[in-house]
Amino acid sequence: MKSLIVTGGGSGLGKVIAEHAVESGYRVGILDVDEEAVQTTANEIDLPEKVIPLVASVTSEEQIQNALNAFEAIPDAWINNAGIVKFGPLLDQPLEDWRSVVDVNLTGTFIASRTVAKQMKDKGGGSIVNLTSINGISAGTNSGAYGSTKSAISLLTQQMSIEWGKFGIRVNSLAPGLIDGGMSEPIYANPEFRKIRTEKVPIGRLGLPSDVAAAVLFLCSENADYITGHELVVDGGIINSIIANLPRPSSVDSVGLDGD
Ligand SMILES: NC(=O)c1ccc[n+]([C@@H]2O[C@H](COP(=O)([O-])OP(=O)(O)OC[C@H]3O[C@@H](n4cnc5c(N)ncnc54)[C@H](O)[C@@H]3O)[C@@H](O)[C@H]2O)c1
């Protein structure tokens, strides 16, 4: 049976990725720093032989190693999904907030990836998928270190892919857009912001955690065997719509249409 570990699997997108992975036939390790969330999610999935609860922080090499030992198998896939955000203007952001976001998102992705890659190398290969964000492609106001960590994870993904390709390890990133769930729940619980944001998405709807889960599992699958170092954007087109959202006077828009 194929196996996969998802960090931050206790809630939000990680929980849905875990559920989809179980449905797709994986034995799944649900790794999270929140012990209660790990247990609740593992109980909800209710397939004890396929779900392994793992309590660990991605910021600790020792805890990640212990979690891998407890999993009792070298996973075929590892999903670096754990992530945090601390909102606030850069001018006022406490340094400890900045550092904690860098520590979990960027350093945590590095620690976990390196720890599992050493084992995947011995096994002859594997797949690592790193959750980034469209906020790592285009800056957002008041999102502190978040966007910078996501951008850095994209480059780290490329670096890991070129260093570890010879070991059969593929490393890709996945940038979700406006997702109706997880850490964005408070935004979309507000009807006004929900409407404004939904109208901006070219495909006409918010993304679902299941959209992200399906794309993650694609990147782990044999169908993605020749894809590595790539960032897959899962955003209904919004990252490409910046120019489309800038109005032009109709006199300019019509130039050239009638041979002028
Ligand atoms: N929800 C969105 O709209 C959205 C959009 C773009 C990208 N993302 C990315 O998707 C990923 C999942 O986000 P989410 O929305 O599900 O967030 P979430 O807050 O709902 O869940 C994050 C999970 O990570 C866990 N976690 C936090 N620190 C940890 C640590 N040190 N070690 C292990 N686990 C830890 C938390 O306990 C929690 O269960 C994140 O990387 C996030 O940046 C989310």
Side-chain angles (χ1 to χ4, degrees), residues 8 11-13 32-33 56-58 81-82 132 146 150 176 179 181-184:
S11 64
L13 305 188
D32 206 292
V33 72
S57 172
V58 294
N81 164 81
T132 53
Y146 184 77
K150 295 300 184 178
I179 306 299
M183 60 171 61
S184 297

Side-chain angles (χ1 to χ4, degrees), residues 27-145:
R27 177 172 171 267
V28 176
I30 296 175
L31 185 151
D32 206 292
V33 72
D34 182 338
E35 186 169 358
E36 201 183 323
V38 169
Q39 282 307 338
T40 308
T41 298
N43 292 340
E44 277 175 24
I45 294 180
D46 199 25
L47 278 171
E49 73 285 4
K50 290 187 99 181
V51 174
I52 317 295
L54 302 166
V55 181
S57 172
V58 294
T59 58
S60 162
E61 210 159 12
E62 189 187 351
Q63 288 179 29
I64 293 299
Q65 186 58 61
N66 289 342
L68 275 164
N69 295 344
F71 193 62
E72 292 181 341
I74 300 170
D76 298 291
W78 180 280
I79 317 304
N80 283 306
N81 164 81
I84 59 172
V85 60
K86 300 263 170 89
F87 289 111
L90 288 173
L91 285 179
D92 301 329
Q93 176 140 83
L95 207 44
E96 59 265 34
D97 281 4
W98 175 277
R99 286 197 168 121
S100 65
V101 174
V102 173
D103 202 28
V104 173
N105 296 7
L106 178 57
T107 311
T109 296
F110 169 62
I111 287 175
S113 300
R114 185 170 71 166
T115 308
V116 75
K118 285 177 183 167
Q119 296 198 357
M120 287 176 169
K121 179 183 168 203
D122 293 340
K123 188 183 179 182
S127 168
I128 297 174
V129 179
N130 302 320
L131 271 286
T132 53
S133 169
I134 56 167
N135 196 175
I137 300 170
S138 182
T141 44
N142 296 342
S143 51

